[in-house]
Amino acid sequence: MEDTIFMKIIRREIPAEIVYEDADTIAFLDVKPTAPGHTLVVPKKPVQNIFDADDETLAAVMRTVRKISPAVRDAVGAHGVHINSNHGEAAGQIVFHLHFHIIPRHSRDEFRFWPQNDYLKGDAATIAEKIRIGIK
Ligand code: AMP
């Protein structure tokens, strides 16, 4: 895997507002926040995304997401957090080093992340069956 900007942060080669670190993960403020307090949680092991990540790395990252989310929420007086992660270019992934976004959400903010659509008749069953078959 190619070196990424996040590896440079892990190695302290470039500055970042690091808010938490342990043996397996690091968390720092996103330099272009969706909302103040927007934090990224990153494994120190360089995996690209969900498609090449091992269970242990993902578990470590999610432990850190759980651990720091209340502090992110409370630091900016938010009411909840949006936890988002982009996997693959088509999904908007820019930095190809696995990471989860913790984005503070306020009760009356105007963010609209997810459009909601309807399935054509039969499509849900067809797609669900393809997913069941594809699980390894
Ligand atoms: P994505 O790969 O689309 O999930 O998002 C990558 C995120 O990394 C973006 O939100 C960027 O603002 C953020 N980012 C890129 N470079 C840095 C950096 N040097 N320090 C902090 N955040 C960064």
Side-chain angles (χ1 to χ4, degrees), residues 5-134:
I5 194 113
F6 293 169
M7 286 308 295
K8 291 184 170 57
I9 291 173
I10 291 165
R11 294 195 299 257
R12 305 296 202 277
E13 291 170 5
I14 61 170
E17 285 293 347
I18 296 168
V19 299
Y20 177 80
E21 184 172 21
D22 61 24
D24 302 312
T25 66
I26 190 166
F28 49 88
L29 295 187
D30 193 304
V31 76
K32 297 269 183 202
T34 297
H38 180 166
T39 299
L40 301 175
V41 180
V42 177
K44 291 184 175 175
K45 182 174 175 180
V47 295
Q48 289 198 337
N49 54 35
I50 197 77
F51 301 118
D52 67 339
D54 54 275
D55 290 352
E56 293 71 27
T57 300
L58 278 166
V61 170
M62 289 313 293
R63 262 197 304 277
T64 298
V65 169
R66 186 209 58 73
K67 188 180 184 74
I68 74 172
S69 286
V72 171
R73 177 196 60 194
D74 295 347
V76 294
H79 306 102
V81 294
H82 193 92
I83 294 170
N84 175 57
S85 192
N86 303 322
H87 303 266
E89 200 176 335
Q93 186 173 11
I94 296 166
V95 178
F96 279 79
H97 184 139
L98 178 74
H99 54 281
F100 283 78
H101 299 252
I102 304 174
I103 302 170
R105 298 295 305 265
H106 298 262
S107 296
R108 282 182 292 281
D109 67 38
E110 297 296 326
F111 299 152
R112 288 288 172 270
F113 282 92
W114 309 114
Q116 290 188 294
N117 302 304
D118 295 307
Y119 281 109
L120 296 175
K121 194 170 165 32
D123 279 359
T126 302
I127 292 167
E129 185 58 13
K130 284 184 180 173
I131 293 170
R132 288 182 204 108
I133 291 168

